[in-house]
Amino acid sequence: MIPVTPIEADRPSELATDISERLTSAIREHLMSAFAPDNTKSLRAFSAPEAAELLGVSAQFLRKAHAEETLPEPADIRGGRRYYSVTELREARHILEATSRKKGRYLPGRRDGDKLQVWQLMNFKGGSSKSTTTIHLAHYLTLRGYKVLVMDLDPQGSLTSMCGISPEIEFDGLTMYDAIRYEDPVPLADVIQETYFPGLSLAPSRLMLSEFETESAVHSAPDQPFFTRIRSALEQVEADYDIVLMDSPPQLGFLTISGMAAATSLIVPLTPSMLDVSSTAQFMELVGAYMGVIEDAGAKLHYDNFRFLITRDEPTDVPSQQLTSFMRALFQDRVMSSTALKSTAISDATMLKQSIYEVVRSDMTRATYDRAKQSMDAVGLEIETMVQKAWGRS
Ligand SMILES: Nc1ncnc2c1ncn2[C@@H]1O[C@H](COP(=O)(O)OP(=O)(O)O)[C@@H](O)[C@H]1O
Ligand SMILES: [Mg+2]
């Protein structure tokens, strides 16, 4: 336990600093124990039925492939059961793709001429599930065989910590700020880190990123306006990924707008509550105004998709269902047909900085886990279908 002494300070600035220091050290202790012993996250192995589902084959096909030695056995076999690491699953994709009659069946990513998919999740409402949705999409798409980069544009760094790096503690390396700052920016590739989730890379964030807001407000160089910063940085690594997912801060500042100028699709996660739906009107008004401003300044905006995603959906809650129907009636297919269910399986997982894909089904109430996973899978699949469509496939 942390010794608790009363907080007394003469000045508000001291009080805030004191609160910050106490919280930082308490978080450090809490996280250290949560991520013991070596303080790093690691990813579980996937059972044979899960592996078959992820690869889109039958369990029988998988067994046969091992028997015929087209696929190497996984290293982890317990009690006659096979468990696959994500790295082994990725290798299996390469082997299966080489002999597959249908191109892209096991490696569905970009081909020559396909443009990089840059999806931004944005809404100025905090708690609308931007970060939760981003990490679930990232894990879903990575497990489906795409090369994914997540970019944390929120100085609060929730996505960064979901990726196993705690901005509050051990992390003082390069961040997105260093790649987009006006003075001596570093190559984005130097900022990007591989995560414990094979195939998923992260451009991390921490509080320092908020400097970009301050600097952009005073910066005036017409040759490099603020809204080109993220797009230019992404151009450097464009060949390395299939899909980039950008998580946004809960405000419509320079970071979010610079993200919008780099994005090829926009998703607005929206919780179906009266307050959130009402504030969406103001949010969209601002979005429209800012888009106009940067277009006038020379930004070329084009989105393959610009959609709402209903998050924390509660099928048994009548008012929220009415709001969802209202949004659908008003905007039809601009509202994604799948929704992210509100689920204790999701909130419990995120407490542990995990996605539903990282939790083991038997560790949870199965029906709860199944409903949450089905819902996240459906959202992932709908996005994946839009991605494939943008590449001219369906
Ligand atoms: N589908 C869900 N079911 C239950 N809780 C959720 C769900 N999505 C998000 N949450 C919870 O809501 C909170 C806010 O979500 P978050 O993704 O951080 O929002 P944002 O990034 O938009 O501020 C988190 O504590 C998260 O655990
Ligand atoms: Mg967030």
Side-chain angles (χ1 to χ4, degrees), residues 130-132 154 158 247-248 250:
K130 293 179 287 296
S131 305
T132 308
D154 185 351
S158 341
D247 187 18
S248 314

Side-chain angles (χ1 to χ4, degrees), residues 125-132 312 341-343 346-347 350:
K125 200 81 190 174
S128 58
S129 207
K130 293 179 287 296
S131 305
T132 308
R312 295 207 267 154
L341 282 189
K342 179 172 181 176
S343 165
I346 308 281
S347 45
T350 51

